[in-house]
């Protein structure tokens, strides 16, 4: 019986950790029109080279160690005003932003969303 409880607990933790929402590029304009917050985590150099989504906050996540992440989350909280507020994370291709959204959800930022396909997907859809 104990192993069943442990299995169910482990499974729920695993499912909740990966249970982050994504936003499809086709819904980004609607999200922005509703005053959605977009946080671009790409490096400053990449942002300058490739551009940014209009109205997005530039908040690069350079290192992924605990100290750097703690400082980064403090800056994020200054933008959001509340950890319960919805916001969209953008990186190059959606991979790092998905991982970050999962981590932030565990840390209490319950409305973290990532852009599916990342900035590259947005750029490809806005240059046609």
């Amino acid at each position: 019986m104990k192993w069943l409880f442990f299995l169910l607990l482990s499974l729920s933790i695993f499912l909740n950790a990966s249970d982050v929402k994504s936003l499809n590029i086709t819904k980004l304009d609607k999200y922005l029109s509703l005053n959605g917050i977009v946080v671009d985590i790409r490096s400053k150099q990449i942002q300058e080279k490739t551009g940014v989504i209009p109205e997005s906050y530039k908040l690069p996540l350079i290192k992924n160690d605990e100290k750097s992440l703690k400082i980064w989350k403090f800056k994020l909280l200054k933008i959001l005003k509340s950890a319960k507020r919805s916001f969209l994370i953008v990186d190059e291709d959606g991979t790092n932003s998905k991982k970050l959204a999962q981590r932030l959800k565990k840390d209490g930022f319950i409305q973290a969303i990532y852009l599916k396909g990342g900035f590259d997907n947005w750029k490809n859809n806005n240059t046609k």
Side-chain angles (χ1 to χ4, degrees), residues 48-61:
E48 290 172 354
K49 181 179 179 183
T50 60
V52 294
I53 295 172
E55 308 300 321
S56 62
Y57 289 89
K58 300 171 191 140
L59 190 59
L61 181 62

Side-chain angles (χ1 to χ4, degrees), residues 3-127:
W3 65 270
L4 181 60
F5 175 75
F6 177 75
L7 179 64
L8 290 173
L9 181 63
S10 299
L11 184 59
S12 70
I13 291 170
F14 175 74
L15 290 174
N16 288 336
S18 62
D19 186 29
V20 292
K21 294 180 182 177
S22 64
L23 185 73
N24 195 314
I25 195 72
T26 59
K27 297 183 180 177
L28 181 60
D29 287 336
K30 175 79 171 169
Y31 181 80
L32 291 171
S33 72
L34 297 171
N35 296 321
I37 295 177
V38 178
V39 178
D40 192 328
I41 64 169
R42 299 173 301 142
S43 72
K44 185 177 179 181
Q45 294 82 8
I46 292 175
Q47 290 173 356
E48 290 172 354
K49 181 179 179 183
T50 60
V52 294
I53 295 172
E55 308 300 321
S56 62
Y57 289 89
K58 300 171 191 140
L59 190 59
L61 181 62
I62 306 303
K63 295 180 186 176
N64 207 3
D65 61 85
E66 287 302 314
K67 184 179 179 184
S68 299
L69 193 55
K70 188 174 183 177
I71 294 167
W72 187 88
K73 287 189 293 186
F74 177 76
K75 292 176 182 177
L76 175 64
L77 199 50
K78 286 177 76 175
I79 293 169
L80 299 176
K81 310 290 189 239
S82 169
K84 295 179 182 179
R85 186 158 183 198
S86 173
F87 64 102
L88 180 69
I89 306 169
V90 176
D91 69 346
E92 288 88 0
D93 62 3
T95 305
N96 291 329
S97 56
K98 180 178 182 179
K99 291 176 188 174
L100 181 59
Q102 290 169 339
R103 170 65 190 269
L104 290 171
K105 186 174 180 182
K106 288 180 189 176
D107 292 346
F109 291 86
I110 56 175
Q111 296 292 330
I113 306 168
Y114 71 96
L115 183 62
K116 215 176 220 181
F119 182 82
D120 294 343
N121 192 17
W122 179 83
K123 186 81 169 175
N124 290 337
N125 281 286
N126 285 289
T127 56

